[in-house]
Amino acid sequence: MTAECPVLYCRRSSARFLSKGSRSSGRRADIAAGTDEHMSSPWKLVSQSADPEVTEERFADWPPRLSTCDSPEQPPPALSAAQRLAARLWAYGQPPPPAAGAWVGGGCADALAQLRRLTWGESFELVKELDCWIADDCIDSRCVPRLNNMEWNVTTLQAADLRHHTLSQSAHAVRLITRATVSRMNCEGRRRVQLVWSDKPDLQAQAAVFRERLSSYWRDLAQLLSHGAAHLPQLLVPLAFERMGNHASDQQLHGWIKDMERVKDMLRTQLTGWVQDLQFSSKQVEHYEVEEDKDGPGNLTIRRPLLSERLLRYQPWSPSFDDDYSALCKERQPEASQMFSLAHELYAFHRFYWYRTAERIDSSYGDDVKIVDEEWQLEDRSHATLSVDTDCVQLLVNALDHPTCPLEDLPLEAVKQREQCREQLWDDVVQRSPHIPVTSYLAYTQRANINLCLLAWMAVNSYGICQDVPFSLIQSVHDARCYFDSPDDQSCLQSNATEAICSVSRAILLLKCRDFSSIKTSHNCTFTTLGSLWVYSRSSILDQKLTEQTLNYKNSLTNATLKYKDFKIDSLKPLEISFILINIIFRFSTAGVYMYLPQLRNLPGKILLSFQITCITQILCSEVVYRMAGVPDLPTAVLIDSALTLLSCFWLNSFCYHMYACVRHLRLPDQLLPAEVSQLFRREVLCVLIPWSIVCVAAVALEKTSKYHLIHSRIVVLAGISVSVGFNFVCLGLLGYMYLRNRCSMRQLEIVDNKKFASKKECLFMSVKAIIISGTGIIIRIGFHQAQGIAQLVYYMHLVTMVQGPVLFVCFVCNGTTLPILKNRILLWWNPTNIPAGLELCSAAERNLARRNNEQSPFSESSL
């Protein structure tokens, strides 16, 4: 075939020649149209013309027209978009007609003369081989021009000759690639391996040939697809300019070109995933097995692995450009909707043809043999939870709450932050920690317990952090299977650490989350209209049209995500700062009173003073140093905060035990000598620091040794706090038991006292003191922190804990014993000569007598 007679026109000539032959012209029309009744293919031909010559002439007309069986006048959106774009591409890509006389005396006349001398068998063989020749020619890149990646600017776009030349060249390349794709599909359908039951060695030989042929088919399609993915985005800018950009000024056109280049990059990312999928399909064919069908002796079964071309049907029919970004980018680019709509049409055109290549080969082999696909253990993970970094969750929520137009350039810091977030989330997913106990408010801002499926959706939705990661579905399922089936060995992953979370999340949403899947399966009969021939196939199409139901579904996911938005409420920040300052002031005031008054420097007073100093240090470290200075890092700050919380619980343990010991031995704290108080306090400090050090060292060792032991370190700290608070309850319970027992004994002795145990005010004060001393407030606070999904309530609880300082001051200082003494000491500052009642100066004899009584009281109590 010479240059004057392109393959396209020679094919048309051969089709006309075959239609005029003797015997069954309908049979030859079937052959020319690419079907064979012996193939039992689901593709059928419905002729609209009784004249076979007209039929075959119209068969060569392109582009194909697409519709559905149920409602031909209202085809699915993806097919309509493909049809609209195909009409434009075929208008641009139509090669020039042959020169005058070429049909008569040129190369085509010679070709026709040779064709007329062919026998029926030779004609049939020619038609069978013609599709294979067309595909092979294009696979070797001989049918498409060499790609020159045009850098469009104002000058080149406004040059009509250059623009039309480049557009026609790329459109012609896409046209030829599409023809080659259909031809390769037809070629495989005619030359496919006929699997016939025989003995085992012969069957294995057939299976080897079958696998090699099918692997070659997918390799060829992957090569063609790579050509198409390279040429198709090149059409975007010139096509868009002719549709919308030729009326803009030079300044507007400069920004317009920049935005169109960004849309082209987004389209190329989508198409790259298809290329990877077809490459994976060719590699998976070697795992196909051919064996006898157990249910039908004499029949054959093809067993396909999970990672086969059947997963291609889960590829989305349309990208989310037009739906999600048109309104978002309207302010920046008024023509954003048309930009994304054109990219949508290009993708739909591409998606339709490559879906048919997979569907056709399945139906071709499925009529002769039984195809059994490997089933994965599809346990539902819709209610699984995972502990992840809250900084990443905050980034995902912010991206959904305040989405940015993808046409804008992200700052380099934001790009790095997204990549770091993807790596951090993957580390969290690999750890598989379903719930990490929260021991402080800082820990709450560090880890979030989130639904696994919701996290996957947050990561891979249109506004998430996976926009620049190609959607390779087979790779995603492979990575997800590696993650679920090989939890201790992640070396089987095909994605790198930066993209693994995106890959696995996509597969999780498709195969593991029934409550989070919006993909609906509908059985539609789809027509492909080739001129006057209607070729149709009945297939299962995954329809992802944005119906009202799916829109409501997306809104529900958005609302579920936004509940993680506020780990701190910005509007309450002034109130939080005020509460923190009030808390610090009153805690310092309480500690100062205990240090100033001699009456409070007894053993329980020193223990409570240590408790106050510990709480003050905790507030300064977590609320002042970390919040304002940002040091140390958050995990270290959480360790310090949790350790100081545990230490304050241990001080309360010492205080409660000392109360129990005093009542048990009938020995009041005021009866101890100063030396004995110091000795007992040192012993109490030792008893507190030893268990506290053991727990803290264990927690730090676990957390610093490996990040996988984070949950264990938190459990150790939480267990220490729980045991400590439990010990306080035991001590207070024993005190209550001894009070009730003594009261019962006094009643048996008929000892009656008209005095009440305490007034209502004193009972209220004692109840609040009991709650503080028992550590119940700490347990309530930590319990609220476990409610990870309710950020506002946890924040409110955090504010409530800041009121503990004033409460401690009122309960332990503003009582009937301490407040009068403090008031008298303050009054003495102003007027030292005014001595209040009870503080009169006494003689030396009276002071010596009081000292002697204090020295003799321990001996009398011990003898008692």
Side-chain angles (χ1 to χ4, degrees):
M1 297 183 183
T2 62
E4 291 85 8
C5 182
V7 173
L8 172 64
Y9 293 97
C10 287
R11 184 184 181 189
R12 180 180 295 178
S13 302
S14 63
R16 182 185 292 109
F17 165 75
L18 291 174
S19 67
K20 292 182 179 179
S22 59
R23 290 186 281 182
S24 175
S25 61
R27 161 71 173 164
R28 296 174 186 178
D30 288 346
I31 297 173
T35 60
D36 185 356
E37 62 185 9
H38 297 297
M39 292 166 51
S40 300
S41 172
W43 294 71
K44 300 181 182 179
L45 298 178
V46 182
S47 177
Q48 292 179 323
S49 174
D51 187 357
E53 181 175 357
V54 174
T55 299
E56 292 304 323
E57 183 71 24
R58 290 291 303 277
F59 169 72
D61 293 340
W62 288 75
R65 295 191 293 274
L66 314 169
S67 60
T68 58
C69 305
D70 298 333
S71 56
E73 68 280 0
Q74 292 182 353
L79 302 184
S80 300
Q83 178 181 349
R84 291 193 303 269
L85 183 66
R88 299 185 65 186
L89 294 185
W90 261 248
Y92 280 110
Q94 184 71 30
W103 292 103
V104 179
C108 283
D110 297 337
L112 289 173
Q114 296 179 17
L115 288 174
R116 290 189 180 97
R117 290 193 288 270
L118 298 178
T119 64
W120 168 252
E122 293 173 338
S123 300
F124 180 66
E125 291 297 326
L126 174 63
V127 173
K128 286 174 57 178
E129 296 296 329
L130 191 58
D131 279 321
C132 301
W133 293 341
I134 294 173
D136 292 341
D137 186 66
C138 199
I139 290 170
D140 296 335
S141 302
R142 291 194 297 266
C143 76
V144 292
R146 183 177 180 181
L147 178 64
N148 293 321
N149 194 356
M150 174 66 71
E151 296 292 337
W152 294 104
N153 53 39
V154 177
T155 304
T156 55
L157 272 180
Q158 291 179 342
D161 294 341
L162 176 62
R163 186 179 68 252
H164 280 292
H165 173 72
T166 304
L167 187 58
S168 300
Q169 190 179 39
S170 296
H172 183 60
V174 172
R175 174 188 173 98
L176 294 178
I177 293 170
T178 305
R179 282 188 177 278
T181 303
V182 178
S183 298
R184 185 66 181 91
M185 180 177 64
N186 294 334
C187 174
E188 185 65 24
R190 296 191 186 97
R191 298 173 58 183
R192 65 187 180 88
V193 177
Q194 295 285 348
L195 296 173
V196 181
W197 169 248
S198 60
D199 56 355
K200 189 171 183 179
D202 185 55
L203 181 62
Q204 293 304 319
Q206 293 184 53
V209 175
F210 163 74
R211 285 191 290 266
E212 176 57 32
R213 182 71 59 80
L214 193 59
S215 177
S216 174
Y217 171 69
W218 288 111
R219 284 197 304 270
D220 292 347
L221 288 182
Q223 185 67 26
L224 288 172
L225 179 60
S226 64
H227 295 331
H231 282 276
L232 202 62
Q234 297 301 318
L235 293 168
L236 188 63
V237 178
L239 275 177
F241 179 81
E242 296 201 349
R243 175 185 293 188
M244 69 192 85
N246 52 6
H247 59 272
S249 63
D250 291 349
Q251 184 177 2
Q252 293 174 338
L253 194 58
H254 179 75
W256 183 90
I257 294 173
K258 183 179 179 181
D259 292 340
M260 283 306 307
E261 290 291 340
R262 183 63 53 84
V263 177
K264 184 175 76 172
D265 293 339
M266 296 168 63
L267 178 62
R268 184 182 291 110
T269 300
Q270 292 280 345
L271 300 181
T272 302
W274 273 98
V275 177
Q276 294 180 8
D277 275 345
L278 291 188
Q279 291 173 347
F280 282 127
S281 297
S282 65
K283 297 177 182 178
Q284 294 301 320
V285 173
E286 63 184 27
H287 302 295
Y288 285 26
E289 296 179 359
V290 180
E291 59 186 33
E292 184 182 8
D293 186 6
K294 297 180 181 178
D295 299 330
N299 298 326
L300 296 179
T301 297
I302 297 177
R303 293 193 176 275
R304 295 190 299 188
L306 174 68
L307 305 176
S308 63
E309 68 271 10
R310 66 173 176 143
L311 293 176
L312 294 175
R313 67 188 62 183
Y314 286 99
Q315 281 277 4
W317 275 101
S318 61
S320 58
F321 302 156
D322 198 13
D323 300 323
D324 294 333
Y325 296 137
S326 293
L328 187 63
C329 299
K330 187 175 182 180
E331 182 177 355
R332 170 186 171 89
Q333 178 56 255
E335 296 175 336
S337 177
Q338 300 180 58
M339 291 180 177
F340 292 122
S341 178
L342 181 58
H344 169 89
E345 292 177 9
L346 285 167
Y347 179 85
F349 171 82
H350 194 269
R351 170 70 170 82
F352 172 76
Y353 281 104
W354 294 107
Y355 176 75
R356 286 284 168 244
T357 58
E359 196 70 18
R360 173 68 187 275
I361 201 63
D362 275 356
S363 59
S364 175
Y365 281 100
D367 291 334
D368 293 342
V369 296
K370 179 180 179 182
I371 297 178
V372 179
D373 292 313
E374 177 187 356
E375 293 296 335
W376 195 17
Q377 186 65 30
L378 299 178
E379 68 276 10
D380 189 10
R381 295 299 180 103
S382 297
H383 304 288
T385 58
L386 195 70
S387 179
V388 297
D389 182 73
T390 54
D391 289 338
C392 289
V393 175
Q394 199 74 50
L395 180 64
L396 298 176
V397 174
N398 291 339
L400 192 65
D401 190 31
H402 302 288
T404 58
C405 174
L407 303 181
E408 301 175 2
D409 291 327
L410 284 176
L412 183 60
E413 181 181 355
V415 175
K416 291 183 178 179
Q417 190 178 14
R418 289 191 174 191
E419 293 180 355
Q420 292 173 358
C421 182
R422 292 204 296 248
E423 295 180 4
Q424 178 63 48
L425 283 179
W426 178 242
D427 289 341
D428 294 336
V429 170
V430 170
Q431 291 178 32
R432 301 170 185 266
S433 300
H435 180 84
I436 293 183
V438 177
T439 54
S440 67
Y441 179 72
L442 290 179
Y444 178 79
T445 62
Q446 181 191 12
R447 310 294 298 182
N449 297 327
I450 194 172
N451 182 284
L452 175 63
C453 296
L454 181 61
L455 176 68
W457 180 82
M458 290 167 63
V460 301
N461 76 79
S462 301
Y463 306 124
I465 57 177
C466 297
Q467 298 175 3
D468 57 335
V469 179
F471 188 0
S472 176
L473 186 61
I474 296 180
Q475 177 178 330
S476 296
V477 177
H478 176 276
D479 292 343
R481 193 175 195 180
C482 172
Y483 170 75
F484 285 107
D485 296 347
S486 306
D488 299 327
D489 181 18
Q490 299 296 322
S491 60
C492 55
L493 285 176
Q494 293 182 346
S495 300
N496 54 37
T498 308
E499 300 178 354
I501 185 64
C502 302
S503 178
V504 173
S505 293
R506 285 163 176 159
I508 287 176
L509 285 177
L510 289 173
L511 302 176
K512 294 288 186 178
C513 304
R514 297 191 184 100
D515 296 346
F516 289 78
S517 177
S518 62
I519 298 178
K520 308 298 180 185
T521 302
S522 60
H523 296 275
N524 292 329
C525 181
T526 303
F527 281 107
T528 305
T529 308
L530 306 176
S532 60
L533 293 177
W534 278 20
V535 184
Y536 71 92
S537 64
R538 184 171 297 277
S539 60
S540 176
I541 300 177
L542 298 176
D543 192 4
Q544 291 178 296
K545 292 183 292 184
L546 287 177
T547 61
E548 182 179 357
Q549 179 180 1
T550 55
L551 284 175
N552 294 334
Y553 169 79
K554 290 181 67 176
N555 291 334
S556 66
L557 288 180
T558 301
N559 295 332
T561 303
L562 293 181
K563 73 179 181 180
Y564 293 93
K565 182 172 65 174
D566 293 320
F567 290 101
K568 289 190 300 182
I569 304 175
D570 294 335
S571 60
L572 294 179
K573 191 172 183 179
L575 182 63
E576 179 188 13
I577 295 175
S578 301
F579 276 26
I580 291 173
L581 291 177
I582 293 173
N583 191 17
I584 293 174
I585 291 172
F586 275 96
R587 284 188 180 274
F588 269 107
S589 301
T590 306
V593 170
Y594 269 76
M595 295 177 65
Y596 177 66
L597 295 180
Q599 292 85 348
L600 298 180
R601 288 201 289 268
N602 51 20
L603 183 58
K606 288 185 176 182
I607 295 175
L608 282 177
L609 180 61
S610 301
F611 169 75
Q612 287 287 354
I613 293 175
T614 301
C615 293
I616 291 172
T617 306
Q618 180 182 3
I619 295 172
L620 292 177
C621 290
S622 60
E623 305 296 340
V624 178
V625 177
Y626 173 73
R627 294 282 184 88
M628 295 183 179
V631 292
D633 59 302
L634 182 57
T636 304
V638 170
L639 277 175
I640 295 174
D641 189 75
S642 301
L644 293 175
T645 301
L646 180 64
L647 182 59
S648 63
C649 290
F650 282 160
W651 286 124
L652 294 179
N653 291 156
S654 178
F655 184 83
C656 290
Y657 174 76
H658 186 70
M659 288 176 57
Y660 165 74
C662 288
V663 176
R664 175 69 179 82
H665 298 288
L666 301 177
R667 188 179 184 186
L668 297 179
D670 293 336
Q671 296 173 346
L672 299 177
L673 295 174
E676 189 177 5
V677 169
S678 300
Q679 182 180 2
L680 290 175
F681 180 70
R682 286 194 295 268
R683 188 177 66 183
E684 293 292 333
V685 170
L686 190 62
C687 294
V688 166
L689 292 181
I690 289 177
W692 177 74
S693 301
I694 293 174
V695 174
C696 290
V697 168
V700 172
L702 288 171
E703 189 161 339
K704 295 301 182 181
T705 300
S706 174
K707 59 186 177 183
Y708 296 100
H709 297 308
L710 175 62
I711 184 173
H712 303 105
S713 67
R714 298 286 174 78
I715 289 176
V716 168
V717 175
L718 186 60
I721 294 175
S722 302
V723 171
S724 175
V725 175
F727 180 82
N728 292 339
F729 276 111
V730 171
C731 292
L732 295 177
L734 290 175
L735 285 174
Y737 169 73
M738 287 189 293
Y739 166 73
L740 294 176
R741 188 185 64 177
N742 293 336
R743 185 177 180 182
C744 181
S745 300
M746 292 176 67
R747 287 181 178 177
Q748 291 177 358
L749 296 174
E750 297 182 354
I751 298 176
V752 180
D753 189 1
N754 293 329
K755 293 182 179 180
K756 293 183 178 180
F757 173 73
S759 64
K760 292 182 179 180
K761 179 181 179 181
E762 291 173 341
C763 288
L764 178 61
F765 271 45
M766 283 190 293
S767 300
V768 175
K769 285 182 179 180
I771 292 175
I772 296 174
I773 293 172
S774 64
T776 306
I778 296 175
I779 291 296
I780 293 175
R781 185 186 68 197
I782 293 176
F784 265 89
H785 290 166
Q786 309 309 313
Q788 297 280 326
I790 316 174
Q792 288 81 1
L793 291 183
V794 178
Y795 191 81
Y796 297 151
M797 190 63 193
H798 169 65
L799 293 180
V800 170
T801 57
M802 294 296 104
V803 189
Q804 192 176 18
V807 172
L808 285 171
F809 183 84
V810 171
C811 292
F812 288 90
V813 176
C814 300
N815 51 40
T817 303
T818 307
L819 187 58
I821 299 175
L822 178 62
K823 182 180 67 173
N824 293 331
R825 294 298 294 265
I826 294 176
L827 291 176
L828 286 175
W829 291 353
W830 301 101
N831 189 4
T833 60
N834 186 13
I835 301 175
L839 293 180
E840 296 87 353
L841 294 176
C842 56
S843 64
E846 289 175 334
R847 291 195 298 270
N848 293 333
L849 179 60
R851 183 168 60 249
R852 186 178 63 181
N853 291 335
N854 289 335
E855 292 175 353
Q856 290 178 353
S857 59
F859 297 100
S860 61
E861 288 180 4
S862 62
S863 63
L864 176 62

